[in-house]
Amino acid sequence: MANVLDEETGPVRAEGREINVIAKQIPVTVGKGSKVFEVLLWFLLIIPGLVFLIMKIKAASYLRQLEQKIQHDASQIDNYLEQRVVILSNLAQLVDKAVKLDKDTFTAIAEARSFGKVLSRDGNDMSATSAKIDSIGWRINKTFENYPDLKAHRGISDAIQQNSYLQKEITAAREQYNDTVNTWNREIQVWPTKMIVAAKQGYTTRIPFIASREIKEQANSVFF
């Protein structure tokens, strides 16, 4: 039997293809077969029905705990983002003492510091906030390109190192969040127990972290 995916005969897309996250929540649904399955367990013998009921109770508890884990992971990202806003705010003030930064930079910082509402855990608001903070860092970096001597300032140098550290922590926290979201999306599709429970509870798949268009464009830029 020939290979189903054959890199020799194609189809081959030489121009490549950009990868994007599909920002869509898919509801969990079960068909009539699942309902018939549950009825038969009770109709044939009581014990299988009771066993399956206990399994569903455990599955419901597990999914609720997993949902809280998603909240915890998302909160960790919020914590690191908030710390990074503080660092970038201090960095911007130090740079502004040497050269005048664009007023839009400080406006963006003020907006990022106002974590007034709880972020939506579907990843949309979180991605938007993260993109705003990344944009602040990018604007400050552009200033460094015009004034490279600024990096020799001790306070600025320390702030740059702290910002670099927080960027790594945010990346690691995003990976953890995506892992938990992936676990959720996989578990709610496990038939029969978890899938039936998920469908009855109205659960949907979760959207992982999405990088902003601006960040993607910068990633494809020439830096050197």
Side-chain angles (χ1 to χ4, degrees):
M1 181 178 178
N3 293 332
V4 177
L5 299 177
D6 191 346
E7 64 274 14
E8 294 295 333
T9 59
V12 176
R13 181 174 291 185
E15 68 276 14
R17 183 177 69 87
E18 187 63 63
I19 299 175
N20 294 296
V21 176
I22 307 300
K24 181 179 181 179
Q25 292 179 313
I26 303 173
V28 180
T29 58
V30 292
K32 293 181 179 179
S34 296
K35 296 180 180 179
V36 172
F37 171 77
E38 289 192 81
V39 171
L40 286 176
L41 289 178
W42 287 103
F43 181 76
L44 296 177
L45 291 171
I46 299 298
I47 295 179
L50 290 174
V51 171
F52 190 65
L53 177 61
I54 294 173
M55 291 174 62
K56 288 195 298 181
I57 293 173
K58 290 182 177 179
S61 176
Y62 168 74
L63 292 177
R64 286 195 296 269
Q65 292 179 43
L66 188 57
E67 190 171 36
Q68 290 301 315
K69 179 67 164 56
I70 293 176
Q71 285 285 87
H72 173 268
D73 293 345
S75 179
Q76 284 292 93
I77 298 175
D78 285 355
N79 289 337
Y80 287 127
L81 287 174
E82 188 170 14
Q83 291 180 48
R84 193 179 176 208
V85 170
V86 174
I87 294 299
L88 289 175
S89 177
N90 294 336
L91 180 57
Q93 292 176 13
L94 289 171
V95 173
D96 191 54
K97 290 181 180 179
V99 296
K100 284 297 179 182
L101 276 175
D102 192 324
K103 290 182 179 179
D104 291 341
T105 300
F106 287 97
T107 300
I109 290 175
E111 292 176 355
R113 295 193 74 164
S114 60
F115 283 82
K117 66 174 183 176
V118 178
L119 297 181
S120 170
R121 297 312 177 204
D122 61 7
N124 293 330
D125 288 349
M126 185 182 297
S127 295
T129 303
S130 178
K132 185 186 296 293
I133 296 172
D134 287 336
S135 178
I136 296 170
W138 178 76
R139 293 179 191 180
I140 295 176
N141 286 335
K142 292 294 290 185
T143 303
F144 287 146
E145 292 180 7
N146 297 327
Y147 303 92
D149 293 341
L150 289 177
K151 294 183 180 180
H153 188 287
R154 179 63 181 271
I156 291 177
S157 178
D158 291 343
I160 292 175
Q161 290 182 359
Q162 292 174 4
N163 178 57
S164 178
Y165 166 76
L166 286 173
Q167 281 181 303
K168 294 177 181 178
E169 291 297 319
I170 290 171
T171 298
R174 285 171 180 166
E175 290 180 357
Q176 178 62 48
Y177 174 81
N178 282 350
D179 286 344
T180 308
V181 166
N182 178 59
T183 299
W184 170 272
N185 291 342
R186 185 179 66 250
E187 291 292 315
I188 61 175
Q189 299 294 339
V190 176
W191 190 88
T193 313
K194 294 173 184 174
M195 193 171 183
I196 290 176
V197 169
K200 288 184 177 180
Q201 294 295 327
Y203 290 151
T204 68
T205 58
R206 305 259 177 164
I207 302 172
F209 170 78
I210 304 174
S212 67
R213 179 182 300 175
E214 183 180 15
I215 294 300
K216 288 185 177 182
E217 291 175 351
Q218 291 177 25
N220 292 325
S221 301
V222 178
F223 290 92
F224 303 101

